[in-house]
Short mmCIF file of all heavy atoms in Angstrom, two decimals:
data_model
loop_
_atom_site.label_atom_id
_atom_site.label_comp_id
_atom_site.label_asym_id
_atom_site.label_seq_id
_atom_site.Cartn_x
_atom_site.Cartn_y
_atom_site.Cartn_z
N TRP K 1 -101.85 -9.35 -21.80
CA TRP K 1 -100.91 -8.37 -21.24
C TRP K 1 -101.63 -7.25 -20.51
O TRP K 1 -101.02 -6.51 -19.75
CB TRP K 1 -100.01 -7.79 -22.35
CG TRP K 1 -100.76 -7.17 -23.49
CD1 TRP K 1 -101.07 -5.85 -23.67
CD2 TRP K 1 -101.29 -7.85 -24.64
NE1 TRP K 1 -101.77 -5.66 -24.84
CE2 TRP K 1 -101.91 -6.88 -25.46
CE3 TRP K 1 -101.31 -9.18 -25.05
CZ2 TRP K 1 -102.55 -7.20 -26.66
CZ3 TRP K 1 -101.94 -9.50 -26.25
CH2 TRP K 1 -102.54 -8.52 -27.04
N VAL K 2 -102.95 -7.11 -20.72
CA VAL K 2 -103.77 -6.15 -19.99
C VAL K 2 -104.56 -6.84 -18.89
O VAL K 2 -104.63 -6.37 -17.76
CB VAL K 2 -104.72 -5.39 -20.94
CG1 VAL K 2 -105.66 -4.47 -20.15
CG2 VAL K 2 -103.94 -4.58 -21.96
N THR K 3 -105.18 -7.98 -19.21
CA THR K 3 -106.02 -8.67 -18.22
C THR K 3 -105.20 -9.32 -17.12
O THR K 3 -105.70 -9.51 -16.01
CB THR K 3 -106.86 -9.76 -18.90
OG1 THR K 3 -106.00 -10.80 -19.39
CG2 THR K 3 -107.68 -9.19 -20.05
N GLY K 4 -103.93 -9.67 -17.43
CA GLY K 4 -103.15 -10.41 -16.46
C GLY K 4 -103.56 -11.86 -16.34
O GLY K 4 -103.12 -12.56 -15.42
N LEU K 5 -104.39 -12.35 -17.28
CA LEU K 5 -104.88 -13.72 -17.26
C LEU K 5 -104.33 -14.48 -18.46
O LEU K 5 -104.43 -14.00 -19.59
CB LEU K 5 -106.41 -13.74 -17.31
CG LEU K 5 -107.14 -13.05 -16.16
CD1 LEU K 5 -108.63 -12.96 -16.47
CD2 LEU K 5 -106.90 -13.80 -14.85
N GLU K 6 -103.79 -15.64 -18.21
CA GLU K 6 -103.34 -16.48 -19.32
C GLU K 6 -104.56 -17.02 -20.04
O GLU K 6 -105.44 -17.63 -19.44
CB GLU K 6 -102.48 -17.62 -18.80
CG GLU K 6 -101.88 -18.46 -19.90
CD GLU K 6 -100.99 -19.56 -19.39
OE1 GLU K 6 -101.03 -19.84 -18.17
OE2 GLU K 6 -100.25 -20.14 -20.21
N LEU K 7 -104.63 -16.79 -21.35
CA LEU K 7 -105.76 -17.23 -22.14
C LEU K 7 -105.51 -18.65 -22.62
O LEU K 7 -104.61 -18.90 -23.42
CB LEU K 7 -105.97 -16.28 -23.33
CG LEU K 7 -107.31 -16.37 -24.06
CD1 LEU K 7 -107.52 -15.10 -24.88
CD2 LEU K 7 -107.39 -17.58 -24.98
N LEU K 8 -106.32 -19.59 -22.13
CA LEU K 8 -106.20 -20.99 -22.49
C LEU K 8 -107.45 -21.42 -23.25
O LEU K 8 -108.45 -20.70 -23.28
CB LEU K 8 -106.02 -21.84 -21.23
CG LEU K 8 -104.85 -21.45 -20.33
CD1 LEU K 8 -104.89 -22.24 -19.03
CD2 LEU K 8 -103.52 -21.65 -21.04
N THR K 9 -107.39 -22.59 -23.85
CA THR K 9 -108.57 -23.11 -24.57
C THR K 9 -108.76 -24.58 -24.24
O THR K 9 -107.79 -25.32 -24.00
CB THR K 9 -108.42 -22.96 -26.09
OG1 THR K 9 -107.27 -23.68 -26.56
CG2 THR K 9 -108.29 -21.50 -26.49
N PHE K 10 -110.04 -24.99 -24.25
CA PHE K 10 -110.39 -26.40 -24.17
C PHE K 10 -110.75 -26.87 -25.57
O PHE K 10 -111.64 -26.30 -26.21
CB PHE K 10 -111.60 -26.61 -23.26
CG PHE K 10 -111.36 -26.30 -21.81
CD1 PHE K 10 -112.14 -25.37 -21.15
CD2 PHE K 10 -110.35 -26.95 -21.10
CE1 PHE K 10 -111.93 -25.08 -19.81
CE2 PHE K 10 -110.13 -26.66 -19.76
CZ PHE K 10 -110.92 -25.73 -19.11
N THR K 11 -110.06 -27.91 -26.05
CA THR K 11 -110.39 -28.46 -27.37
C THR K 11 -110.32 -29.99 -27.31
O THR K 11 -109.48 -30.53 -26.61
CB THR K 11 -109.42 -27.94 -28.46
OG1 THR K 11 -108.07 -28.24 -28.08
CG2 THR K 11 -109.58 -26.46 -28.67
N PRO K 12 -111.23 -30.65 -28.05
CA PRO K 12 -112.37 -30.08 -28.77
C PRO K 12 -113.41 -29.56 -27.79
O PRO K 12 -113.58 -30.11 -26.70
CB PRO K 12 -112.91 -31.26 -29.57
CG PRO K 12 -112.54 -32.46 -28.77
CD PRO K 12 -111.20 -32.13 -28.15
N SER K 13 -114.07 -28.50 -28.15
CA SER K 13 -114.95 -27.81 -27.21
C SER K 13 -116.39 -28.34 -27.18
O SER K 13 -117.05 -28.26 -26.15
CB SER K 13 -114.99 -26.31 -27.55
OG SER K 13 -115.59 -26.10 -28.82
N GLY K 14 -116.87 -28.84 -28.32
CA GLY K 14 -118.28 -29.20 -28.40
C GLY K 14 -119.18 -28.02 -28.63
O GLY K 14 -120.41 -28.11 -28.50
N VAL K 15 -118.59 -26.85 -29.00
CA VAL K 15 -119.33 -25.61 -29.22
C VAL K 15 -119.20 -25.20 -30.69
O VAL K 15 -118.12 -25.28 -31.27
CB VAL K 15 -118.79 -24.49 -28.32
CG1 VAL K 15 -119.52 -23.17 -28.58
CG2 VAL K 15 -118.92 -24.88 -26.85
N PHE K 16 -120.31 -24.76 -31.26
CA PHE K 16 -120.34 -24.27 -32.64
C PHE K 16 -121.03 -22.91 -32.68
O PHE K 16 -121.86 -22.61 -31.83
CB PHE K 16 -121.11 -25.24 -33.54
CG PHE K 16 -120.52 -26.62 -33.57
CD1 PHE K 16 -120.85 -27.56 -32.59
CD2 PHE K 16 -119.63 -27.00 -34.56
CE1 PHE K 16 -120.31 -28.84 -32.60
CE2 PHE K 16 -119.08 -28.27 -34.58
CZ PHE K 16 -119.42 -29.19 -33.59
N GLU K 17 -120.66 -22.11 -33.67
CA GLU K 17 -121.30 -20.81 -33.85
C GLU K 17 -122.36 -20.91 -34.94
O GLU K 17 -122.09 -21.44 -36.03
CB GLU K 17 -120.29 -19.74 -34.24
CG GLU K 17 -120.92 -18.36 -34.42
CD GLU K 17 -119.93 -17.30 -34.85
OE1 GLU K 17 -118.72 -17.61 -34.90
OE2 GLU K 17 -120.35 -16.18 -35.13
N ILE K 18 -123.57 -20.40 -34.66
CA ILE K 18 -124.66 -20.49 -35.64
C ILE K 18 -125.34 -19.13 -35.84
O ILE K 18 -126.54 -19.08 -36.11
CB ILE K 18 -125.70 -21.55 -35.23
CG1 ILE K 18 -126.29 -21.25 -33.84
CG2 ILE K 18 -125.09 -22.95 -35.25
CD1 ILE K 18 -127.51 -22.09 -33.53
N SER K 19 -124.57 -18.04 -35.72
CA SER K 19 -125.18 -16.72 -35.82
C SER K 19 -125.87 -16.50 -37.16
O SER K 19 -126.94 -15.87 -37.23
CB SER K 19 -124.14 -15.62 -35.58
OG SER K 19 -123.10 -15.69 -36.53
N GLU K 20 -125.29 -17.02 -38.24
CA GLU K 20 -125.89 -16.79 -39.56
C GLU K 20 -127.26 -17.43 -39.67
O GLU K 20 -128.19 -16.86 -40.25
CB GLU K 20 -124.96 -17.32 -40.66
CG GLU K 20 -123.67 -16.53 -40.81
CD GLU K 20 -123.92 -15.05 -41.06
OE1 GLU K 20 -124.81 -14.73 -41.87
OE2 GLU K 20 -123.25 -14.22 -40.42
N SER K 21 -127.42 -18.63 -39.11
CA SER K 21 -128.72 -19.30 -39.18
C SER K 21 -129.76 -18.64 -38.28
O SER K 21 -130.96 -18.91 -38.40
CB SER K 21 -128.58 -20.78 -38.80
OG SER K 21 -128.21 -20.92 -37.45
N LEU K 22 -129.30 -17.76 -37.38
CA LEU K 22 -130.22 -17.02 -36.50
C LEU K 22 -130.51 -15.63 -37.02
O LEU K 22 -131.09 -14.81 -36.32
CB LEU K 22 -129.62 -16.93 -35.09
CG LEU K 22 -129.42 -18.26 -34.36
CD1 LEU K 22 -128.65 -18.04 -33.06
CD2 LEU K 22 -130.76 -18.94 -34.08
N GLY K 23 -130.07 -15.34 -38.25
CA GLY K 23 -130.32 -14.03 -38.84
C GLY K 23 -129.16 -13.08 -38.76
O GLY K 23 -129.32 -11.88 -39.00
N GLY K 24 -127.96 -13.59 -38.43
CA GLY K 24 -126.79 -12.73 -38.35
C GLY K 24 -126.57 -12.17 -36.96
O GLY K 24 -127.38 -12.34 -36.06
N SER K 25 -125.46 -11.47 -36.82
CA SER K 25 -125.10 -10.91 -35.52
C SER K 25 -126.08 -9.82 -35.10
O SER K 25 -126.62 -9.10 -35.92
CB SER K 25 -123.68 -10.32 -35.60
OG SER K 25 -123.37 -9.62 -34.42
N THR K 26 -126.29 -9.73 -33.77
CA THR K 26 -127.09 -8.62 -33.23
C THR K 26 -126.24 -7.38 -33.04
O THR K 26 -126.74 -6.34 -32.64
CB THR K 26 -127.72 -9.01 -31.88
OG1 THR K 26 -126.68 -9.40 -30.97
CG2 THR K 26 -128.70 -10.16 -32.06
N ILE K 27 -124.93 -7.50 -33.33
CA ILE K 27 -124.01 -6.36 -33.22
C ILE K 27 -123.61 -5.94 -34.62
O ILE K 27 -122.72 -6.53 -35.23
CB ILE K 27 -122.77 -6.71 -32.38
CG1 ILE K 27 -123.18 -7.17 -30.99
CG2 ILE K 27 -121.84 -5.51 -32.29
CD1 ILE K 27 -122.03 -7.62 -30.14
N GLN K 28 -124.29 -4.98 -35.16
CA GLN K 28 -124.03 -4.51 -36.51
C GLN K 28 -123.09 -3.31 -36.48
O GLN K 28 -123.22 -2.43 -35.64
CB GLN K 28 -125.34 -4.13 -37.22
CG GLN K 28 -126.34 -5.28 -37.30
CD GLN K 28 -125.83 -6.45 -38.11
OE1 GLN K 28 -125.12 -6.26 -39.10
NE2 GLN K 28 -126.18 -7.65 -37.71
N HIS K 29 -122.16 -3.29 -37.42
CA HIS K 29 -121.21 -2.17 -37.51
C HIS K 29 -121.10 -1.78 -38.98
O HIS K 29 -120.09 -1.99 -39.63
CB HIS K 29 -119.84 -2.60 -36.97
CG HIS K 29 -119.06 -1.46 -36.38
ND1 HIS K 29 -118.88 -0.26 -37.03
CD2 HIS K 29 -118.42 -1.34 -35.19
CE1 HIS K 29 -118.15 0.55 -36.28
NE2 HIS K 29 -117.86 -0.09 -35.16
N PRO K 30 -122.19 -1.20 -39.54
CA PRO K 30 -122.19 -0.92 -40.97
C PRO K 30 -121.19 0.16 -41.35
O PRO K 30 -120.90 1.07 -40.58
CB PRO K 30 -123.63 -0.43 -41.22
CG PRO K 30 -124.07 0.13 -39.91
CD PRO K 30 -123.40 -0.72 -38.86
N SER K 31 -120.65 0.04 -42.57
CA SER K 31 -119.74 1.07 -43.07
C SER K 31 -120.53 2.33 -43.42
O SER K 31 -121.61 2.27 -43.99
CB SER K 31 -119.03 0.55 -44.33
OG SER K 31 -118.23 -0.54 -44.01
N LYS K 32 -119.97 3.48 -43.07
CA LYS K 32 -120.61 4.73 -43.41
C LYS K 32 -120.26 5.18 -44.82
O LYS K 32 -120.97 5.97 -45.42
CB LYS K 32 -120.20 5.81 -42.40
CG LYS K 32 -120.70 5.54 -40.98
CD LYS K 32 -120.27 6.64 -40.03
CE LYS K 32 -120.76 6.38 -38.61
NZ LYS K 32 -120.33 7.44 -37.67
N SER K 33 -119.17 4.67 -45.34
CA SER K 33 -118.72 5.08 -46.67
C SER K 33 -117.77 4.04 -47.21
O SER K 33 -117.26 3.18 -46.49
CB SER K 33 -118.02 6.44 -46.60
OG SER K 33 -116.81 6.32 -45.85
N ALA K 34 -117.50 4.11 -48.51
CA ALA K 34 -116.52 3.21 -49.12
C ALA K 34 -115.14 3.44 -48.52
O ALA K 34 -114.36 2.50 -48.34
CB ALA K 34 -116.50 3.43 -50.62
N GLN K 35 -114.85 4.69 -48.17
CA GLN K 35 -113.55 5.01 -47.58
C GLN K 35 -113.40 4.34 -46.21
O GLN K 35 -112.34 3.78 -45.90
CB GLN K 35 -113.39 6.52 -47.45
CG GLN K 35 -112.03 6.95 -46.90
CD GLN K 35 -111.90 8.46 -46.82
OE1 GLN K 35 -112.88 9.19 -46.99
NE2 GLN K 35 -110.69 8.92 -46.56
N GLU K 36 -114.46 4.38 -45.40
CA GLU K 36 -114.41 3.74 -44.09
C GLU K 36 -114.27 2.23 -44.24
O GLU K 36 -113.51 1.59 -43.49
CB GLU K 36 -115.65 4.06 -43.28
CG GLU K 36 -115.63 3.43 -41.88
CD GLU K 36 -116.90 3.69 -41.12
OE1 GLU K 36 -117.21 4.86 -40.88
OE2 GLU K 36 -117.60 2.72 -40.78
N LYS K 37 -114.98 1.65 -45.21
CA LYS K 37 -114.88 0.21 -45.43
C LYS K 37 -113.45 -0.17 -45.82
O LYS K 37 -112.91 -1.16 -45.33
CB LYS K 37 -115.85 -0.22 -46.53
CG LYS K 37 -115.87 -1.72 -46.77
CD LYS K 37 -116.91 -2.11 -47.80
CE LYS K 37 -116.93 -3.62 -48.00
NZ LYS K 37 -117.96 -4.02 -49.00
N LEU K 38 -112.83 0.62 -46.68
CA LEU K 38 -111.44 0.35 -47.08
C LEU K 38 -110.51 0.46 -45.88
O LEU K 38 -109.62 -0.38 -45.69
CB LEU K 38 -111.02 1.33 -48.18
CG LEU K 38 -109.57 1.23 -48.66
CD1 LEU K 38 -109.31 -0.15 -49.25
CD2 LEU K 38 -109.25 2.33 -49.67
N TRP K 39 -110.70 1.50 -45.07
CA TRP K 39 -109.89 1.68 -43.87
C TRP K 39 -110.00 0.47 -42.95
O TRP K 39 -109.01 -0.03 -42.42
CB TRP K 39 -110.32 2.94 -43.14
CG TRP K 39 -109.82 3.05 -41.72
CD1 TRP K 39 -110.55 2.89 -40.58
CD2 TRP K 39 -108.47 3.29 -41.30
NE1 TRP K 39 -109.75 3.04 -39.48
CE2 TRP K 39 -108.47 3.29 -39.88
CE3 TRP K 39 -107.27 3.53 -41.97
CZ2 TRP K 39 -107.33 3.50 -39.14
CZ3 TRP K 39 -106.13 3.74 -41.22
CH2 TRP K 39 -106.16 3.73 -39.82
N ARG K 40 -111.21 -0.04 -42.78
CA ARG K 40 -111.44 -1.19 -41.92
C ARG K 40 -110.73 -2.43 -42.46
O ARG K 40 -110.08 -3.16 -41.71
CB ARG K 40 -112.94 -1.44 -41.81
CG ARG K 40 -113.35 -2.39 -40.71
CD ARG K 40 -114.85 -2.52 -40.62
NE ARG K 40 -115.49 -1.24 -40.37
CZ ARG K 40 -116.80 -1.07 -40.36
NH1 ARG K 40 -117.60 -2.07 -40.61
NH2 ARG K 40 -117.32 0.12 -40.10
N GLU K 41 -110.83 -2.65 -43.77
CA GLU K 41 -110.21 -3.82 -44.36
C GLU K 41 -108.69 -3.76 -44.29
O GLU K 41 -108.02 -4.79 -44.15
CB GLU K 41 -110.67 -3.97 -45.82
CG GLU K 41 -112.14 -4.32 -45.97
CD GLU K 41 -112.51 -5.60 -45.24
OE1 GLU K 41 -111.78 -6.60 -45.37
OE2 GLU K 41 -113.53 -5.60 -44.52
N LEU K 42 -108.13 -2.56 -44.41
CA LEU K 42 -106.69 -2.40 -44.32
C LEU K 42 -106.19 -2.49 -42.88
O LEU K 42 -105.11 -3.03 -42.61
CB LEU K 42 -106.26 -1.06 -44.91
CG LEU K 42 -106.42 -0.89 -46.44
CD1 LEU K 42 -106.12 0.54 -46.84
CD2 LEU K 42 -105.53 -1.87 -47.19
N SER K 43 -106.98 -1.98 -41.96
CA SER K 43 -106.55 -1.90 -40.56
C SER K 43 -106.65 -3.24 -39.85
O SER K 43 -105.83 -3.54 -38.97
CB SER K 43 -107.38 -0.87 -39.81
OG SER K 43 -107.23 0.42 -40.37
#
């Protein structure tokens, strides 16, 4: 509704995600506090 592009998918894709075997994501978003973690899980 923002891009104006219909989002389609090709399946089966032949693509797999292996971020964990590469040491995890390079985009880390650590919680600053238990309260922030709770907010994230609820939101």
